[in-house]
Amino acid sequence: MAAAQQGDVEAMVSLWARKAIQEQGEIQLRKAAQGFAETNRQARAAGEKLEVANVRETIQGDRARVFFFYRDKKGTDSMAMGFALLKENGKWKIYRGLDRSEEDKPFESSFAEKSAPGP
């Protein structure tokens, strides 16, 4: 979250697993990072400091899922977030962003293959 709060898109993209970049495309992930950095910039401009709350994680070997809320201290501006993670070279990397409803689905569903983006 520090990279997003600082608007460091390159650092945000580096958090993604190689497999995610292959399947989703670096351009798409970069656009998502830019959008999230902009959300953080707007929150700061409004005098808000967004923080992580209510973290729930499940780890199974070299894969994990994490769900949390990213919100201001009052809890009025809040977004539910989730990520499927893969361990790559000993570090956790983001494989896929997850919808909050994914938390109710089987763990394996978060890691199903996706095809590479079209031209």
Side-chain angles (χ1 to χ4, degrees):
M1 291 301 174
Q5 290 171 340
Q6 296 168 2
D8 189 344
V9 172
E10 294 305 314
M12 292 169 68
V13 172
S14 76
L15 298 174
W16 289 86
R18 286 187 310 263
K19 186 174 181 180
I21 293 169
Q22 290 170 348
E23 291 179 10
Q24 298 174 52
E26 186 173 348
I27 292 170
Q28 185 65 28
L29 295 175
R30 187 173 302 285
K31 285 180 184 177
Q34 289 168 336
F36 193 58
E38 178 61 17
T39 296
N40 277 278
R41 187 198 66 73
Q42 290 174 356
R44 276 192 319 277
E48 298 174 354
K49 183 176 190 282
L50 301 176
E51 52 192 36
V52 174
N54 300 346
V55 177
R56 298 159 316 280
E57 66 182 6
T58 305
I59 300 172
Q60 293 183 6
D62 62 351
R63 298 182 303 172
R65 290 193 316 186
V66 62
F67 295 92
F68 55 91
F69 288 100
Y70 194 51
R71 64 183 187 194
D72 64 2
K73 289 186 184 214
K74 297 176 194 170
T76 53
D77 287 330
S78 176
M79 62 183 101
M81 300 184 78
F83 294 100
L85 306 169
L86 300 173
K87 203 161 235 187
E88 187 176 278
N89 298 322
K91 295 181 180 180
W92 288 109
K93 297 283 192 161
I94 301 169
Y95 173 54
R96 182 177 295 148
L98 301 173
D99 183 88
R100 185 168 179 223
S101 66
E102 184 79 21
E103 194 170 9
D104 297 328
K105 295 181 181 174
F107 185 86
E108 294 296 320
S109 69
S110 300
F111 299 92
E113 292 284 331
K114 283 190 172 182
S115 59

